[in-house]
Amino acid sequence: MRYGYQDKLLRVDLSTGGISTEPLADEMVDKFIGGRGFVAKLLFDELPRGIDAYDEKNLFIAATGPLSGHFLPASGKTHFGAKSPATGGYADSNMGGHFGPALKYAGYDLLVLTGKAAEPSYLFIDDDQVEIRPAKAYWGQGALIAEKNLKTDLGEDLQIMTIGPAGERLVRYACLSHDFGRQAGRSGVGAVLGSKNIKAIAVRGTKSLPVHDIDNAYAKGVDAFKKVAAKPGYTEWTPEGTAGITNWVNEVGVFPTRNFKTSFSDHYEAINGNAILKKLKITDKGCYCCPTPCGKYGLAKTKLGDAYVEGPEYETIALFGGNCELKTIEEVAYANYLCDELGIDTISAGAVISWTIECFEKGMLSEGDIGRPVKFADLETVDYLLRKIVNREGIGDLLAEGVKKAAGKVGQGSEDFAIHVKGLEWTGYECRNAPSMMLAYMTADIGAHHARAWVLGHDMAGAWTNVNELVQSGGTVERQPPAQVTADSARYVIDSQHTRPLFDALGVCRLQLMELGFEVENYAELIYLITGKKRSWKEMLGVSERIWNLTRSISAREIKGFGRSWDFPPERFSTEPIPSGPNEGYFIPKQKLEQLLDWYYAARGWDANGIPTRETLVRLGLEDVADALSVEGVQIN
Ligand code: SF4
């Protein structure tokens, strides 16, 4: 008996209709735990080298972890992976809600889709009954509407994941959608599902989960809920969720504004967490087994219409309220709703739109190119461009390719302010006075993403801490001290890159640890009681390091010429001083970025080109990976 898991991988070949199951390999469970670890292992072993992300041989993987679906706080996370349409390298993205637990109750830890259905289809999983069914009736529908319609047709008790028109039309940052507001947003995993002609996956599960020590696991689960609720941050953090951080981010001058031109917004009070509570919120909404429901479901009334929407959470506020400068929380929420219905990542969409507006302001794109004038702080501009992108109409066809490819076509220096790393658009923190966070973005394995390592606190030690002081200063913003950076900063980033993504392997939400300080030892104890296998937190961090080196190896294998040059931020961050706000005047020169990478690669045991050395791979039990890379022509030192 493999406690904690269902010990079953479900494979569906959409081209042949072949459906099969197999037990999990011992090596995969022992060395990669679950979730993100399973995704990386399967992609390295099974992805045909060098194929296009939209090739039908690409894998679409949904993976749970050993803690997914069990009775403990926030055990509802599911991890999705594929070769990325956005970067061409390793991709994953996680999602809350109830989908992963349902998949596990249906009897599967893992779902792997290959091939391509001959016609628009959806996958139906009801315990042992697995069918590929026609989805013509749902094709073309919005992600939220399709979920509602499928629930009406199949039953309210099914957990349903959908794509929107963006996924159907292969927008490279299309997302997966579930539970009317939860998304796996990053890396274009929704477009991979669309490329397979799959509109939705519907799951009902009624089986039980095998647990090593059920009595003590239950008692520990009860205890864990009590401990989370007793944390001082519980009553402070939960009411506003991630949006509660908006004031602080702006206060310390890292709030992306006007396509990352600057890093401080003067209308932050109209778009922060408090504005959500005052202007939008109807109810809290949480994922499976979550005691800290960070979702805020509400109604936004705007001049373009009313929208019921979950959110916006912080990243959406940053990219639409800061970067596109929408002036009210209602407008940000409306943009959020449109993205959710169209099935597009709010982060990448906000970044692409703000870049387009800057191109227009600079005369690099004309009214003729775009089809109308576009401007910041304008909901109509956002609405117009989102629909163009998702329909791949006119300029939208170019923008649907993502900011890196679009800038490559437009040229004229627009590449300098196309804000991405590796082709994945940057998330909600401006880092020209945050070198550790800059390094975290540069080296995140899927591209510019904050959830791999969030180290702003490290950069901002000594920064403003009282936003009221800032407001009372009447807009006169004092300058931040320069953030300190040493070789230890690289180590700090690396430690964080092992800690945060570990939750994506376990199948639980990390926010209970990160925001509330729920101690890591609890997870080690739960792992033992549920799986019967003793793993210290330190040992699990070692697994996380192994996964990190494997995901880097996948990108090294899949992306021609991959290495150091792929780890740099756009030119803006190393040549343009921030023009206003608390970090006015700061930028990080190229030389400093080179030094940061040198420290980072050395601490990781990677060569000067940022490729793991054979010695490092062997130390991590990845000798087979080193051998395979050598055979496939990747230079391994
Ligand atoms: Fe979901 Fe938020 Fe709870 Fe995490 S904290 S499980 S994201 S509701």
Side-chain angles (χ1 to χ4, degrees):
M1 175 68 73
R2 200 188 289 284
Y3 294 113
Y5 301 83
Q6 293 290 29
D7 201 20
K8 203 177 274 184
L9 183 160
L10 172 62
R11 282 188 195 275
V12 179
D13 183 331
L14 297 161
S15 297
T16 64
I19 294 167
S20 61
T21 62
E22 61 198 65
L24 303 180
D26 290 341
E27 190 214 2
M28 189 160 79
V29 175
D30 290 346
K31 287 172 75 171
F32 299 95
I33 295 184
R36 161 178 156 80
F38 286 176
V39 166
K41 174 69 175 152
L42 285 168
L43 283 176
F44 191 85
D45 287 354
E46 299 186 10
L47 184 76
R49 188 191 181 197
I51 60 165
D52 188 85
Y54 294 143
D55 189 303
E56 64 181 61
K57 293 191 212 68
N58 196 0
L59 279 62
F60 175 89
I61 304 167
T64 64
L67 298 185
S68 300
H70 289 280
F71 178 68
L72 55 101
S75 60
K77 289 284 184 178
T78 321
H79 223 67
F80 299 91
K83 176 166 180 165
S84 171
T87 68
Y90 171 79
D92 70 29
S93 191
N94 86 45
M95 183 173 79
H98 307 255
F99 182 85
L103 185 66
K104 213 157 160 186
Y105 289 131
Y108 312 104
D109 303 290
L110 262 167
L111 167 66
V112 180
L113 303 185
T114 50
K116 179 178 181 177
E119 58 174 4
S121 305
Y122 73 92
L123 188 67
F124 177 80
I125 302 171
D126 188 357
D127 287 343
D128 298 335
Q129 182 188 356
V130 181
E131 294 171 9
I132 304 164
R133 294 181 170 180
K136 274 203 184 115
Y138 310 102
W139 200 256
Q141 291 180 351
L144 307 173
I145 289 172
E147 181 175 359
K148 175 176 162 288
N149 289 339
L150 279 158
K151 277 201 173 249
T152 303
D153 295 345
L154 301 175
E156 282 292 325
D157 56 336
L158 274 98
Q159 297 301 333
I160 295 172
M161 181 181 70
T162 58
I163 58 166
E168 297 171 14
R169 299 197 182 111
L170 309 186
V171 176
R172 289 186 187 272
Y173 38 99
C175 65
L176 303 168
S177 178
H178 161 62
D179 198 28
F180 305 103
R182 291 280 157 188
Q183 285 83 24
R186 307 248 64 203
S187 304
V189 284
V192 175
L193 200 58
S195 75
K196 296 188 173 303
N197 255 342
I198 294 294
K199 177 71 180 177
I201 303 175
V203 186
R204 174 162 42 213
T206 63
K207 300 183 182 182
S208 56
L209 304 181
V211 173
H212 164 66
D213 181 347
I214 187 77
D215 292 336
N216 283 314
Y218 177 74
K220 181 67 194 169
V222 171
D223 178 57
F225 280 103
K226 285 185 187 158
K227 277 185 176 153
V228 168
K231 290 287 174 192
Y234 180 75
T235 46
E236 290 159 25
W237 186 81
T238 306
E240 295 182 9
T242 60
I245 200 178
T246 310
N247 287 6
W248 182 84
V249 175
N250 197 53
E251 176 192 347
V252 299
V254 296
F255 189 64
T257 304
R258 288 194 160 234
N259 192 36
F260 288 85
K261 177 84 180 160
T262 190
S263 62
F264 180 79
S265 167
D266 55 11
H267 70 282
Y268 68 98
E269 285 180 297
I271 54 173
N272 64 10
N274 193 33
I276 292 179
L277 301 188
K278 278 195 185 147
K279 306 273 178 134
L280 300 176
K281 188 185 147 187
I282 297 171
T283 184
D284 292 323
K285 186 164 171 279
C287 305
Y288 180 83
C289 244
C290 180
T292 55
C294 69
K296 309 296 149 196
Y297 197 76
L299 172 62
K301 289 178 177 287
T302 74
K303 59 186 172 189
L304 297 187
D306 297 351
Y308 284 97
V309 60
E310 179 176 343
E313 53 88 52
Y314 170 72
E315 295 299 328
T316 307
I317 289 173
L319 272 299
F320 280 110
N323 237 21
C324 296
E325 289 207 303
L326 296 182
K327 294 291 188 194
T328 67
I329 196 67
E330 293 94 330
E331 290 191 342
V332 174
Y334 190 80
N336 192 157
Y337 155 76
L338 269 183
C339 288
D340 290 359
E341 187 67 300
L342 297 171
I344 193 171
D345 176 30
T346 57
I347 296 169
S348 289
V352 168
I353 289 172
S354 61
W355 172 84
T356 307
I357 298 169
E358 185 165 349
C359 283
F360 180 72
E361 281 189 343
K362 291 192 154 99
M364 296 170 178
L365 285 171
S366 67
E367 191 176 330
D369 294 327
I370 298 173
R372 57 159 278 173
V374 292
K375 58 185 180 184
F376 288 108
D378 181 35
L379 185 59
E380 271 115 345
T381 290
V382 169
D383 180 90
Y384 172 82
L385 288 175
L386 279 177
R387 293 178 196 277
K388 286 280 173 202
I389 290 167
V390 168
N391 291 323
R392 279 189 173 269
E393 274 174 11
I395 187 79
D397 196 36
L398 177 67
L399 301 180
E401 293 295 294
V403 77
K404 180 185 177 188
K405 288 193 172 73
K409 277 263 167 65
V410 170
Q412 308 169 68
S414 66
E415 304 92 332
D416 295 353
F417 55 87
I419 311 298
H420 71 93
V421 178
K422 301 178 180 67
L424 188 72
E425 290 77 14
W426 201 283
T427 69
Y429 306 96
E430 204 292 331
C431 297
R432 276 174 281 183
N433 190 28
S436 301
M437 192 69 211
M438 181 78 87
L439 180 63
Y441 273 113
M442 290 159 67
T443 56
D445 55 3
I446 60 168
H449 192 51
H450 60 284
R452 294 295 192 252
W454 194 94
V455 292
L456 270 174
H458 184 72
D459 286 316
M460 293 294 151
W464 286 76
T465 52
N466 183 351
V467 75
N468 291 327
E469 219 180 310
L470 182 70
V471 174
Q472 282 157 15
S473 74
T476 314
V477 181
E478 283 190 20
R479 195 164 186 258
Q480 291 273 19
Q484 298 304 310
V485 60
T486 66
D488 283 347
S489 304
R491 189 68 254 172
Y492 194 82
V493 170
I494 290 168
D495 287 346
S496 187
Q497 287 175 337
H498 294 164
T499 305
R500 292 174 72 96
L502 180 53
F503 291 85
D504 300 338
L506 298 176
V508 291
C509 179
R510 69 181 162 270
L511 293 176
Q512 285 65 34
L513 169 79
M514 296 298 162
E515 305 298 339
L516 305 181
F518 183 56
E519 297 79 7
V520 293
E521 294 71 28
N522 292 299
Y523 293 102
E525 207 178 329
L526 282 161
I527 277 282
Y528 171 65
L529 294 170
I530 288 171
T531 69
K533 185 171 165 60
K534 277 206 158 64
R535 291 186 193 255
S536 67
W537 186 253
K538 194 170 164 212
E539 184 203 328
M540 289 195 279
L541 288 176
V543 172
S544 202
E545 182 182 8
R546 181 180 297 128
I547 298 168
W548 194 271
N549 280 267
L550 186 56
T551 61
R552 183 79 176 184
S553 299
I554 292 168
S555 290
R557 186 185 68 179
E558 294 302 315
I559 299 175
K560 202 162 177 239
F562 183 82
R564 188 181 185 99
S565 64
W566 287 74
D567 287 341
F568 282 88
E571 201 71 11
R572 164 159 287 168
F573 292 166
S574 56
T575 56
E576 262 187 59
I578 298 174
S580 59
N583 285 312
E584 182 179 339
Y586 288 118
F587 64 103
I588 305 183
K590 263 278 178 45
Q591 209 181 358
K592 181 56 107 183
L593 297 176
E594 298 275 10
Q595 185 179 44
L596 282 166
L597 282 181
D598 285 343
W599 285 333
Y600 179 89
Y601 293 162
R604 277 223 169 270
W606 294 357
D607 66 17
N609 191 34
I611 306 297
T613 61
R614 173 171 284 278
E615 188 184 347
T616 298
L617 293 172
V618 169
R619 172 175 64 79
L620 294 169
L622 297 173
E623 192 168 356
D624 56 329
V625 172
D627 292 343
L629 290 179
S630 297
V631 168
E632 284 162 351
V634 177
Q635 170 96 32
I636 298 281
N637 292 306

